Amino acid sequence: MTETSIDLSRHALTHWTGPLDLPDFAALSDEAFEPVFGVALAAHDAEVAAIADNPETPTIENTLAAFELSGEALGRVSSIFWLRAGAHTNDLIQKVEREIAPKMARHYSAISMNPALFARIDALYAQRESLGLDAETLRVLELSWKGFVRSGAKLDETGKARLAAINEELASLGAQFGQNVLADEREWALMLDERDVAGLPDFLKSAMAEAAEARGEKGRYALTLSRSIYEPFTTFSDRRDLREIAFRAFINRGQNGGSTDNTEVVAKTLRLRAEKAKLLGYESYAALKLDDTMAKTPSAVFGLLDPVWVKAKEKAAGDQAEMQELAAEAGHNHPIAGWDWRHYQEKLRVRKFAFDEAEIKPYLQLENTIAACFDVAMRLFGVRFEEKSGIAAWHPDVRVFQVLNADGSHLGTFAADYFARSSKRSGAWMSSLDSAYSLGKGSRPVIYNIMNFAKPVERQPALLSLDEAKTLFHEFGHALHGMLSEVTWPSASGTSVSRDFVELPSQLYEHWLTVPAVIEKHALHYKTGEPMPKELIDKMLAARTFGAGFATVEFAASALVDMTYHARPEAPVEPLRFEAETLERLGAPEAIPMRHRTPHFGHVFAGDGYSAGYYSYLWSEVLDADAFAAFEETGDAFDPELAAKLKKHIYAAGGSADPEQLYIAFRGKMPTPDAMMVKRGLA
Ligand SMILES: [Zn+2]
């Protein structure tokens, strides 16, 4: 297909004719991405040129609105492409990704540095107080203007050219980083036999059997670096030798030498980010990134992280001492190492709370946990999810749901892709194919969730750990944020909010997983159908903050290293040495590695989404702990009045107002970290 023969108004990648506002996935071909991108980029350039060169006086309509609605075809091909690059990639997609990432960066750089376009936005901005704008439009105009300035609109020609080059290179490096980690994860598997897996819980053995079969070794067991196998294996396996092998492979992803090693990628990325910040007049890259967040400055972030770090280390040290004793009782006198922590922590949990994780799992069927997510959404927000069979999506495992309002009208589309496979990157995330807004002809949301649960062998139900069930609720919380959005402007829709606010709807939603009424109804044993015994629920809830020392240390270490990298005016020359030195300076416990070490820290280096931003989860947690406390104060986890406020000011509001104002509108005041410290058991 040549580029000139592509008609964007008819092509399957840009003109979506599937049911429920979806593309017709069956009609898509991977070969089409590259040429369609080419045509869509050119089409967007033409649209932007028409707005910039419009001889009429700039108005909200002919400039801001026209700009927000431009690039529809590019948005469509991009959203399908990035979905595929993350959730179901292949060699061709990876090749296109490496090529398209810098092209897109160049494209958007050129737009933000288009002097004629910026002059029109700037003119509107200058008279913003006298235009009689509603609050949302005013905010969109202000954010748009700031976005242009932060993207270099006020730089001279030399500065603009340099910034564009930096952005392009950063985009390539980000794509390379992610692909390297995926390659290392894919590459590594340790094939085990029956005797190596003796004593492991059934769910884990069946996940490992499935993983082995997928690698052509039917009848054996694959220990892989997928979190859903790695974490339970290092928790439950008595084989210290195998735990150590897996641990080392896991923490060295992206740092194995050869073509997939990320060391140099990271060094270059940090160097370019520091240069970019300087060019734009910021003291550091963190200062640039934090400028439009709730935290605003690196010192505010350290102000939250530092005290939490101290408390978490104390807590972890206490646990470690107890674990050491427990190991000694069993005749193991080695110090608790990184590959021992989860293992002995689990044994300590069993001793203290008289149950183990594997006891909970038979009650946490994936199917019922999905139903619990939907049920909570129904009770809080009055929306219903109806599964639609026979709709082709990007992979046969994907499930499609229609989302309906209380009156039965169409609200949006939800697609979910639950199981791990080697074409999918690790982790769990939410994104959208289309977002909800009313500007122009408007758009209904098409939202998706990607998970990496171990796929069970045929005819067995998928069972989740408590952590995995939480992840399901978490991503579903993001999905609701996208789904329930009631805003005018595309750029204010759903999760387009400040980064340290965006985890509020997701983390808050996790709280409903352990609301007694929800557990009682949905946590049913997969064999007997019996509800989880009251005694087990109580023990599970009592143990909720157990292990918080470990979890908080591994998280905070990652957040602190991320912020320390980016809060300096100059990039460190040898990032991995810098990582080690930073951890040493912080007094990080040797046996607790960072949750994400630098060479595979995708949040921070596979694109810049969470660079100088990993702290956001904890920042949002201060908000979510306090927000859920509001429900607890009413004595009803589904208090209708509070739920209505929550929907209006948080889940439906998107980025239509300042996050602090939104939170105060819901809760009456801003929170202190107290509820978060209690929630984590660190108070
Ligand atoms: Zn999240």
Side-chain angles (χ1 to χ4, degrees):
M1 196 184 301
T2 62
E3 296 200 2
T4 43
S5 71
I6 292 171
D7 176 356
L8 294 176
S9 67
R10 299 173 66 144
H11 195 281
L13 278 171
T14 47
H15 174 62
W16 296 358
T17 56
L20 295 174
D21 302 327
L22 288 164
D24 178 2
F25 278 100
L28 304 182
S29 88
D30 295 353
E31 285 71 27
F33 279 119
E34 198 172 7
V36 171
F37 262 122
V39 179
L41 281 162
H44 191 210
D45 280 336
E47 284 176 86
V48 170
I51 299 166
D53 303 338
N54 188 340
E56 289 168 35
T57 314
T59 62
I60 290 292
E61 196 59 28
N62 73 17
T63 301
L64 191 64
F67 180 56
E68 284 250 344
L69 293 171
S70 69
E72 189 187 327
L74 181 59
R76 294 201 145 186
V77 58
S78 299
S79 66
I80 301 178
F81 182 77
W82 293 113
L83 161 64
R84 285 289 309 275
H88 193 36
T89 192
N90 58 36
D91 289 347
L92 176 59
I93 300 258
Q94 292 204 331
K95 177 175 162 282
V96 177
E97 186 183 358
R98 286 190 298 271
E99 287 161 4
I100 202 68
K103 265 191 207 164
M104 294 286 267
R106 198 180 315 147
H107 176 74
Y108 287 107
S109 278
I111 290 175
S112 5
M113 294 182 213
N114 179 322
L117 179 63
F118 178 63
R120 293 178 73 86
I121 298 278
D122 197 34
L124 291 171
Y125 180 77
Q127 40 175 322
R128 65 192 179 283
E129 302 296 349
S130 58
L131 293 172
L133 304 177
D134 62 83
E136 184 185 333
T137 304
L138 178 62
R139 182 172 161 82
V140 167
L141 174 58
E142 286 175 350
L143 289 180
S144 177
W145 183 85
K146 276 188 197 158
F148 274 93
V149 173
R150 285 156 48 85
S151 308
K154 290 189 158 183
L155 293 177
D156 62 19
E157 286 315 308
T158 323
K160 281 182 178 174
R162 180 61 196 144
L163 184 58
I166 291 173
N167 286 340
E168 227 175 280
E169 203 178 340
L170 281 173
S172 297
L173 289 166
Q176 186 63 55
F177 184 95
Q179 293 188 3
N180 287 346
V181 177
L182 185 62
D184 276 11
E185 286 174 356
R186 232 183 213 183
E187 185 71 17
W188 198 92
L190 194 60
M191 287 300 162
L192 303 178
D193 296 304
E194 197 64 49
R195 63 190 160 84
D196 304 313
V197 297
L200 293 183
D202 287 346
F203 78 85
L204 179 55
K205 282 172 73 174
S206 98
M208 292 172 74
E210 172 77 19
E213 199 177 331
R215 286 172 167 77
E217 300 246 14
K218 198 171 161 66
R220 302 187 76 191
Y221 300 90
L223 172 53
T224 71
L225 300 180
S226 159
R227 241 182 225 279
S228 61
I229 287 180
Y230 167 77
E231 286 191 357
F233 186 88
T234 48
T235 302
F236 295 111
S237 175
D238 289 324
R239 288 282 300 274
R240 191 166 194 246
D241 57 335
L242 297 178
R243 293 203 309 264
E244 180 174 353
I245 293 171
F247 174 87
R248 292 192 187 281
F250 193 74
I251 66 163
N252 284 321
R253 285 170 296 148
Q255 194 192 342
N256 291 312
S259 62
T260 61
D261 193 291
N262 272 329
T263 312
E264 222 7 72
V265 176
V266 168
K268 269 192 207 155
T269 300
L270 290 172
R271 215 154 51 223
L272 290 167
R273 284 176 179 170
E275 187 189 343
K276 176 173 173 173
K278 203 170 281 175
L279 196 56
L280 290 167
Y282 288 86
E283 197 173 301
S284 65
Y285 191 69
L288 166 68
K289 289 290 288 189
L290 290 168
D291 193 34
D292 65 349
T293 61
M294 289 181 91
K296 295 192 173 63
T297 63
S299 67
V301 172
F302 287 120
L304 171 66
L305 289 175
D306 290 343
V308 169
W309 174 247
V310 172
K311 288 274 185 204
K313 276 200 300 181
E314 277 171 27
K315 180 111 174 153
D319 288 348
Q320 186 165 12
E322 287 187 71
M323 281 154 46
Q324 199 70 65
E325 244 171 66
L326 197 143
E329 281 172 32
H332 301 299
N333 288 313
H334 56 73
I336 301 290
W339 47 95
D340 298 318
W341 196 290
R342 286 178 199 279
H343 186 68
Y344 286 105
Q345 181 165 287
E346 180 57 18
K347 288 195 188 306
L348 189 59
R349 182 210 309 272
V350 175
R351 168 171 299 187
K352 283 190 147 171
F353 300 95
F355 80 98
D356 65 58
E357 274 284 317
E359 255 181 273
I360 295 180
K361 205 149 179 158
Y363 293 95
L364 294 178
Q365 300 177 60
L366 170 62
E367 219 39 56
N368 291 4
T369 315
I370 296 168
C373 278
F374 293 169
D375 191 25
V376 170
M378 178 73 194
R379 294 185 64 177
L380 287 172
F381 307 127
V383 291
R384 199 153 47 84
F385 287 72
E386 221 170 69
E387 183 155 12
K388 299 286 171 189
S389 56
I391 296 181
W394 57 94
H395 185 275
D397 282 350
V398 179
R399 294 163 63 174
V400 177
F401 303 84
Q402 181 175 22
V403 191
L404 302 157
N405 290 305
D407 63 4
S409 58
H410 177 83
L411 174 68
T413 305
F414 176 63
D417 184 356
Y418 294 114
F419 298 122
R421 55 176 172 264
S422 61
S423 64
K424 197 191 265 190
R425 71 173 163 84
S426 57
W429 65 98
M430 162 272 187
S431 190
S432 63
L433 286 169
D434 246 333
S435 53
Y437 58 84
S438 62
L439 191 72
K441 55 185 171 25
S443 163
R444 296 321 305 155
V446 179
I447 309 288
Y448 62 87
N449 273 173
I450 311 285
M451 304 286 149
N452 265 292
F453 302 140
K455 192 172 181 175
V457 285
E458 226 178 318
R459 280 189 295 275
Q460 290 290 316
L463 302 175
L464 306 181
S465 68
L466 187 58
D467 268 352
E468 289 173 324
K470 262 190 202 156
T471 302
L472 188 76
F473 267 68
H474 179 101
E475 297 308 331
F476 192 72
H478 282 308
L480 286 171
H481 197 195
M483 196 75 71
L484 298 174
S485 202
E486 283 174 32
V487 300
T488 305
W489 293 84
S491 67
S493 183
T495 53
S496 310
V497 296
S498 137
R499 205 180 34 182
D500 45 12
F501 184 77
V502 78
E503 298 301 330
L504 168 61
S506 53
Q507 293 182 168
L508 177 56
Y509 208 72
E510 292 174 29
H511 290 262
W512 276 277
L513 170 64
T514 45
V515 162
V518 176
I519 302 184
E520 283 156 21
K521 181 169 172 193
H522 298 284
L524 308 176
H525 196 283
Y526 78 102
K527 277 184 184 155
T528 63
E530 292 289 318
M532 192 185 281
K534 175 90 176 61
E535 198 196 6
L536 185 56
I537 297 177
D538 289 346
K539 285 192 272 189
M540 181 179 85
L541 295 183
R544 230 177 339 180
T545 61
F546 179 77
F550 173 85
T552 310
V553 166
E554 66 161 9
F555 166 82
S558 295
L560 284 162
V561 167
D562 166 39
M563 192 51 71
T564 308
Y565 273 140
H566 295 103
R568 301 156 38 103
E570 304 293 336
V573 184
E574 290 177 71
L576 295 183
R577 205 169 88 189
F578 184 82
E579 175 192 275
E581 285 166 3
T582 304
L583 292 171
E584 196 181 321
R585 179 174 57 74
L586 291 166
E590 213 174 302
I592 308 180
M594 297 162 68
R595 183 163 177 84
H596 309 280
R597 284 196 54 240
T598 300
H600 48 257
F601 204 164
H603 291 78
V604 174
F605 294 108
D608 77 343
Y610 277 77
S611 57
Y614 194 62
Y615 78 93
S616 305
Y617 293 95
L618 194 68
W619 191 277
S620 291
E621 194 173 319
V622 170
L623 302 171
D624 77 61
D626 180 70
F628 192 71
F631 283 91
E632 289 177 326
E633 285 160 19
T634 69
D636 177 4
F638 297 96
D639 183 83
E641 207 179 307
L642 203 53
K645 272 190 172 175
L646 183 65
K647 184 177 180 185
K648 178 166 183 221
H649 300 298
I650 308 290
Y651 284 87
S656 61
D658 175 75
E660 224 171 284
Q661 283 172 14
L662 289 175
Y663 192 81
I664 293 170
F666 161 66
R667 183 63 158 130
K669 58 180 180 353
M670 279 300 282
T672 63
D674 300 353
M676 178 274 288
M677 293 296 251
V678 172
K679 175 187 165 188
R680 286 199 168 235
L682 301 173

